[in-house]
Amino acid sequence: MITRRREAPATGSVRMGPISIFTLVIVLCLAVLAVLSITTARADAALAARQASFTQDDYANERVAQMFAAEAADVLATLAPSTAPEDAASALAAAAPELAARTEASAPAGTTVTATTSAGGDATVGTGATAGTGAPAADAALVLTVAAPSGRTLTATFAVDSGPTLTITSWQPATTWTEDTTDTLWMGD
């Protein structure tokens, strides 16, 4: 008589169902992470491009303001060394519109340059080592504003000291910002 030998059921074998589900979950997680990485990379690239544009505009504004300061110093150099700071400031204020126009003509396209005399006593006139800390003088300062098309601006304030020499009393880059109020997240009750 022939007897068949029974094979013992395999113990410890893993079925394909749980492994497939586990692999599917891992693949989905990796796909979500890949999409998030690509989105973040694009956002970082856009931010870097905007920062590069702002930096270029800052450097262009600096160059324009330095050109204006050099031309203003040249105007003061034509005056006699004994000229009073107030008289020198008046001569500079009279020449400021022409200097601003010449500087704007040599500035990058779209850049605006304005030069005005300071009003309200926010500038100071000093002498020698006390430049910028003397008595307030409403007509002794010149305010230069250089604005790039991107909204980056540079505001520089100049004062005239004895000699007559040009002194920079402030040099402030900034960004013009306009609030966007079109999105309303919650109307409220």
Side-chain angles (χ1 to χ4, degrees):
M1 173 168 195
I2 300 178
T3 58
R4 288 187 188 183
R5 201 169 170 188
R6 276 190 178 174
E7 293 182 20
T11 57
S13 68
V14 179
R15 294 185 204 149
M16 291 305 287
I19 289 177
S20 298
I21 291 173
F22 183 67
T23 304
L24 180 65
V25 168
I26 288 176
V27 167
L28 286 175
C29 288
L30 289 174
V32 167
L33 288 175
V35 168
L36 289 174
S37 295
I38 290 171
T39 304
T40 302
R42 285 185 181 167
D44 287 346
L47 184 62
R50 187 171 35 190
Q51 182 63 34
S53 172
F54 277 175
T55 302
Q56 285 178 334
D57 287 345
D58 280 342
Y59 284 129
N61 289 351
E62 293 268 341
R63 185 182 65 79
V64 169
Q66 288 175 8
M67 287 173 29
F68 180 88
E71 289 192 24
D74 289 344
V75 167
L76 293 177
T78 63
L79 300 175
S82 61
T83 304
E86 293 79 14
D87 294 336
S90 296
L92 184 59
E98 180 188 339
L99 294 177
R102 279 197 314 227
T103 306
E104 186 171 344
S106 64
T111 301
T112 59
V113 179
T114 56
T116 58
T117 56
S118 175
D122 61 347
T124 57
V125 174
T127 58
T130 62
T133 60
D139 63 341
L142 190 64
V143 178
L144 173 72
T145 304
V146 181
S150 67
R152 295 296 289 175
T153 61
L154 175 73
T155 304
T157 306
F158 302 97
V160 179
D161 289 335
S162 64
T165 58
L166 188 68
T167 302
I168 299 171
T169 57
S170 73
W171 194 269
Q172 300 173 338
T175 301
T176 305
W177 180 68
T178 306
E179 182 178 4
D180 181 13
T181 59
T182 58
D183 292 336
T184 304
L185 296 178
W186 182 58
M187 295 301 287
D189 289 326

